[in-house]
Amino acid sequence: IEQNHGQPFFVYFAPNAVHEPIVPGAKFTGSPLGKYGDFIRELDWSVGQILDTLDRLKLADDTLLIFTSDNGGVVNPNNADASAAMKAGLKINGSLRGGKHSEWEGGFREPFIVRWPGKTPGGSVSNQVICLTDLLATFAGVLNAPLPKGNAEDSFDVSRAFTERTPGAGRA
């Protein structure tokens, strides 16, 4: 971000947290939440560092930021690391049933948080179905860039879900 902040840039940040092996950095260990909870704290800190950098470089108002995952979390009460966090109140997939490797919503629904100052209304919630494959067409639409023919046929521009306070029906 610091090296490219003078021109448009794209950052894809894919941390290991909260995947196995569960090995949070020493700076984050020792909480009553266990290693899994510590790993989440480390992930939160990492994302905070990105947000702080955008703020420090005065880029936050011009940056589309998306926080998401490719699947729901693993719910395994037999895993001592996750079990300690769950006993402390962590709901790995919120109120959704199941998790990664299951056919239930907890395995397929994941967080999809958008921060786009001046475009995404603060506090808005969309129930539209969005898939990670939609990001290609969405970014192309935001940038007014054409997609090559025959590419991204399963990708749809879902930017409307980012920008409307009360989004309408799903995909156009």
Side-chain angles (χ1 to χ4, degrees):
I1 294 171
E2 290 180 356
Q3 292 175 349
N4 294 294
H5 74 277
Q7 59 191 10
F9 62 89
F10 177 85
V11 173
Y12 175 72
F13 176 62
N16 184 57
V18 289
H19 290 81
E20 292 185 1
I22 299 174
V23 287
K27 176 178 172 178
F28 302 95
T29 59
S31 79
L33 305 174
K35 285 182 171 181
Y36 193 85
D38 294 344
F39 223 8
I40 292 171
R41 288 179 51 226
E42 185 172 1
L43 174 62
D44 288 349
W45 175 84
S46 298
V47 173
Q49 293 297 294
I50 293 169
L51 296 174
D52 289 348
T53 300
L54 293 171
D55 288 340
R56 182 172 43 80
L57 296 174
K58 299 185 182 350
L59 297 172
D61 288 345
D62 296 322
T63 300
L64 166 59
L65 186 126
I66 297 171
F67 180 90
T68 191
S69 178
D70 60 345
N71 50 256
V74 176
V75 179
N76 181 359
N78 297 321
N79 178 313
D81 294 321
S83 181
M86 288 187 282
K87 286 178 183 171
L90 173 68
K91 294 185 179 192
I92 293 176
N93 294 309
S95 62
L96 300 175
R97 181 178 181 186
K100 184 176 181 178
H101 307 124
S102 80
E103 64 279 3
W104 304 107
E105 281 188 285
F108 296 98
R109 284 192 173 211
E110 63 273 339
F112 196 98
I113 301 168
V114 175
R115 186 182 89 165
W116 197 9
K119 305 268 187 180
T120 301
S124 60
V125 175
S126 174
N127 289 320
Q128 290 191 42
V129 175
I130 295 174
C131 183
L132 292 178
T133 57
D134 294 331
L135 290 179
L136 182 58
T138 301
F139 292 155
V142 166
L143 297 170
N144 199 26
L147 289 171
K149 287 192 183 230
N151 290 293
E153 57 271 359
D154 292 334
S155 187
F156 299 90
D157 183 344
V158 295
S159 59
R160 194 176 81 202
F162 301 177
T163 58
E164 295 179 339
R165 178 156 297 281
T166 308
R171 297 177 172 171

